[in-house]
Amino acid sequence: MHVARNKSSYVAKSGEQRVYESVLLRRTYREGGKVKHETLANLSGLPAEAVTALEATLKGQTLVAAGSEFRIVRSLPHGHVAAVAAMARQLGLPTLLGPACRARDIALALIVSRVVRPKSKLSTLAWWPDTTLGVDLGVAGACTDEIYAAMDWLADRQEAIERKLAAKHLAPDVNPGRMALFDLTSAWVTGRCCELAARGYSRDGKKGCEQIEYGVLTDPAGRPVGVRVFPGNTADPDAFTEIVTVIRDELGIAQLVLVGDRGMITSARIDALRKLNEDPDTASDFGWITALRAPAIAKLARADGPLQMSLFDTQDLAEISHPDYPGERLIACRNPALAAERARKRSQLLAATDKLLAAVADRVTRGTLAGAGEIGKAVGKVIAKHKMGKHFHTTITDTAFTYHRDQARIDAEAALDGIYVLRTSVDTEALDPAAVVEGYKNLANVERDFRIIKTDDLDLRPIHHRLEDRVKAHVLICLLACYLIWHLRKAWAPMTFTDEHPPQRDNPVAAAQRSAAADTKAARKHDAAGNPLRSFRGLLDHLATLTRNQIRYHHTNSEVPMLADPTPDQRRAFDLLDTPIPLTAAA
């Protein structure tokens, strides 16, 4: 017997074609050498589920009640850790960390966890058993002592790791300009016993807290190559001196163009680089790209100086020279948009300071504030609030207070609005003026890394560790996680709001612009094919819904791992990584 499905169709008077299906239970037999069919029953009126069950039974299949053949023992989030681990393997991160051992497995798990779920080490340790990462890397049962031992192991291997990254991203064949970026930032510390904690200038605006500082070395595209951690009161020039030593002695690089801001590469640091280059024992050839401070720019703009406004009549940049900078090139730039913004901001701050000073003058007039000392305290507090004291003349006596703007100084400062001057030792054959400007503006890539490390993705701060080596290991973990995110963001750009093809600037001085395609993605929240777009963190959260289930069939003692059916976006995310969806994060 078998189930036969017969379809028939006809065209109604309305012109609509209608299709009918009859489902019959038939017996097939032979009679006189001919095959004949006998209809035993018409099943067309039965529910589809009943017909399907009868058809399966006639085909010899054994049917059991739904839900009684197996059960799902456990379901663990898998897609997000599998994707990040797949990218780590593509980049050779396990080999980069060192030889296979328990410490390497835990260190790798800490790096992947920092990308997927940036939390404290104790929180991460408790989370590992609740995801396939802990199970697949064999770290689900790790203890606190093993975490700290792995961090110590990683800190001991930092120099070897950074040497491999430098060879990969700073070598002449991949970085023909021999250019590297370096910048310094800070992160506040919790507790009172951190060996590196100190009070210093907080780049996070976190007042009243001790902090540590760390400097990141990257290639021109912003791929992290190295990091160094400093006490919280370290000045930028001191950090630059340290990184030069690291580059030469630990990374084994003797020829490089270092790009840093004007607070980092000062005249004193440049003099030290010159001496280093002249030392025959070092065989070094370090170049630099940095910017001049405001007083040096004002000196160049004097009546007899080379920096005159006529330079910018037809273009926004010009190359000049000055005896104070022998053997160097000066690239003067003027950004009209920056000039307008600085003028607007100065006007607002002057008006705000005027208002506050007027309130102090009114108190003095009414007699509620008297005495030169008390009046001076009030005026100092007001002037310091917006840092506009240099633009005001004040007169204070025991019974009077007057003030007025220093218009000549305001006008002199306004004349230089939007103007900045870059200084470099690289000759014209290697870098033309536009390339020097672009090289300096690449520092924005380091700032992007800082946002990834501190706020957007990795949540490095605050620092919870106490020992110096543990703090350094924590920052190194975040740096390697940033290295992973750099490549993940690039691979997943079609699925996120990332600008895939930012336009090349015709004018290197002008501000960077987003492409029209990126603006369209941001407005529509979908790509050109209609697929929904997500943030980087949102995409990781979506991948986490791809679970791995432990299936146990009844009357057996074995369990079978099985992935949930991936959504189109989950499948596409792995396609962009050029890898199939793995059953295990360690595959």
Side-chain angles (χ1 to χ4, degrees):
M1 289 186 295
H2 66 279
V3 175
R5 302 175 185 271
N6 300 320
K7 290 185 178 181
S8 60
S9 63
Y10 74 95
V11 179
K13 292 181 180 180
S14 62
E16 178 186 2
Q17 185 177 19
R18 297 180 180 178
V19 179
Y20 290 93
E21 181 183 59
S22 60
V23 182
L24 306 175
L25 179 61
R26 285 183 167 178
R27 180 176 69 90
T28 302
Y29 61 96
R30 285 183 178 274
E31 186 179 285
K34 293 183 179 181
V35 178
K36 294 189 175 183
H37 303 284
E38 178 185 3
T39 300
L40 303 177
N42 188 340
L43 308 179
S44 301
L46 293 178
E49 295 83 0
V51 174
T52 301
L54 178 59
E55 189 174 19
T57 301
L58 294 176
K59 291 180 178 179
Q61 299 178 11
T62 301
L63 303 184
V64 296
S68 63
E69 68 277 13
F70 67 87
R71 61 191 178 95
I72 300 176
V73 178
R74 194 174 186 197
S75 181
L76 293 176
H78 175 68
H80 52 345
V81 296
V84 177
M87 175 56 78
R89 289 191 300 274
Q90 282 188 16
L91 297 174
L93 188 58
T95 304
L96 179 71
L97 296 181
C101 60
R102 174 71 170 171
R104 190 188 78 170
D105 292 341
I106 294 177
L108 179 60
L110 287 171
I111 295 167
V112 174
S113 300
R114 181 58 56 170
V115 175
V116 174
R117 182 181 175 272
K119 297 290 183 181
S120 69
K121 304 298 183 300
L122 295 180
S123 177
T124 299
L125 181 64
W127 173 72
W128 277 344
D130 296 330
T131 180
T132 57
L133 179 66
V135 177
D136 295 344
L137 293 186
V139 298
C143 64
T144 306
D145 289 343
E146 287 182 300
I147 293 284
Y148 291 141
M151 293 178 67
D152 295 340
W153 176 87
L154 186 64
D156 290 339
R157 295 197 53 78
Q158 179 171 357
E159 181 179 335
I161 292 170
E162 292 175 343
R163 185 180 285 269
K164 292 177 182 177
L165 288 175
K168 186 175 182 180
H169 299 295
L170 298 182
D173 54 336
V174 295
N175 184 13
R178 300 307 303 268
M179 193 177 295
L181 317 176
F182 181 73
D183 204 355
L184 189 73
T185 190
S186 58
W188 69 84
V189 175
T190 61
R192 296 176 296 172
C193 301
C194 179
E195 297 174 349
L196 289 170
R199 298 190 183 277
Y201 170 65
S202 175
R203 293 158 180 82
D204 303 326
K206 190 74 171 180
K207 298 180 180 179
C209 290
E210 291 186 321
Q211 64 179 23
I212 59 103
E213 295 186 354
Y214 57 97
V216 175
L217 181 72
T218 78
D219 72 352
R223 275 179 288 249
V225 171
V227 65
R228 282 299 177 273
V229 181
F230 306 98
N233 55 0
T234 303
D236 286 15
D238 294 335
F240 180 74
T241 300
E242 173 71 17
I243 202 64
V244 170
T245 303
V246 169
I247 292 171
R248 185 193 63 196
D249 298 340
E250 298 182 14
L251 303 185
I253 299 176
Q255 181 182 2
L256 205 62
V257 177
L258 297 169
V259 184
D261 60 30
R262 53 193 169 191
M264 182 71 62
I265 308 180
T266 61
S267 295
R269 298 310 102 188
I270 289 176
D271 290 341
L273 281 180
R274 284 198 179 102
K275 292 179 181 178
L276 186 65
N277 292 339
E278 293 169 358
D279 187 349
D281 295 332
T282 62
S284 300
D285 185 14
F286 287 109
W288 59 85
I289 298 176
T290 186
L292 295 183
R293 294 178 179 271
I297 296 176
K299 183 178 179 180
L300 293 175
R302 291 174 183 171
D304 58 343
L307 181 58
Q308 302 299 319
M309 296 305 104
S310 59
L311 291 172
F312 308 112
D313 289 344
T314 59
Q315 57 186 358
D316 291 331
L317 78 160
E319 185 167 340
I320 60 177
S321 61
H322 193 274
D324 289 349
Y325 307 96
E328 292 185 79
R329 299 163 56 206
L330 302 179
I331 313 299
C333 308
R334 184 178 187 275
N335 186 335
L338 179 61
E341 176 60 20
R342 287 185 176 174
R344 181 196 66 79
K345 186 174 181 180
R346 183 189 304 105
S347 177
Q348 288 185 344
L349 294 177
L350 286 171
T353 305
D354 256 329
K355 185 177 180 179
L356 294 174
L357 289 174
V360 174
D362 182 61
R363 291 173 59 194
V364 175
T365 302
R366 288 187 287 109
T368 59
L369 180 63
E374 294 300 318
I375 295 173
K377 289 181 183 179
V379 171
K381 183 177 180 181
V382 165
I383 286 179
K385 183 172 183 178
H386 299 303
K387 297 179 175 59
M388 287 286 107
K390 60 184 177 180
H391 293 318
F392 285 88
H393 288 303
T394 60
T395 303
I396 301 173
T397 66
D398 286 336
T399 58
F401 165 59
T402 59
Y403 68 96
H404 64 275
R405 294 186 181 185
D406 186 349
Q407 196 59 46
R409 184 160 187 169
I410 294 173
D411 293 342
E413 183 180 275
L416 298 178
D417 280 349
I419 293 177
Y420 56 94
V421 179
L422 306 181
R423 60 186 299 192
T424 181
S425 62
V426 184
D427 57 35
T428 308
E429 288 73 18
L431 291 177
D432 61 18
V436 173
V437 177
E438 290 173 357
Y440 185 78
K441 286 196 169 186
N442 280 338
L443 284 172
N445 295 328
V446 187
E447 295 295 333
R448 168 73 266 189
D449 288 346
F450 286 154
R451 289 194 295 274
I452 288 175
I453 291 173
K454 293 200 284 189
T455 58
D456 289 356
D457 299 309
L458 299 179
D459 205 15
L460 173 142
R461 59 192 186 188
I463 306 297
H464 300 287
H465 298 284
R466 177 175 60 86
L467 300 179
E468 179 177 341
D469 286 346
R470 299 275 168 77
V471 174
K472 292 180 178 180
H474 170 71
V475 175
L476 178 59
I477 287 170
C478 291
L479 178 92
L480 295 172
C482 180
Y483 184 77
L484 271 179
I485 286 180
W486 192 97
H487 291 86
L488 284 169
R489 282 183 175 272
K490 189 174 183 64
W492 285 340
M495 300 185 68
T496 64
F497 296 100
T498 301
D499 193 350
E500 300 173 56
H501 306 290
Q504 291 290 331
R505 283 177 286 201
D506 296 331
N507 180 3
V509 180
Q513 300 292 327
R514 283 172 63 84
S515 67
D519 289 336
T520 301
K521 287 201 302 183
R524 297 180 180 176
K525 308 296 188 294
H526 289 77
D527 62 15
N531 299 310
L533 298 172
R534 294 179 171 86
S535 66
F536 176 78
R537 183 59 54 186
L539 181 55
L540 281 176
D541 291 342
H542 178 66
L543 285 169
T545 65
L546 175 59
T547 60
R548 187 175 72 199
N549 310 300
Q550 290 299 113
I551 306 297
R552 174 176 291 180
Y553 289 92
H554 288 304
H555 310 299
T556 66
N557 293 322
S558 61
E559 295 180 5
V560 179
M562 182 181 298
L563 295 181
D565 289 341
T567 67
D569 280 353
Q570 290 168 345
R571 192 176 298 279
R572 186 184 179 203
F574 280 91
D575 288 342
L576 290 174
L577 298 181
D578 196 24
T579 183
I581 301 177
L583 184 61
T584 69

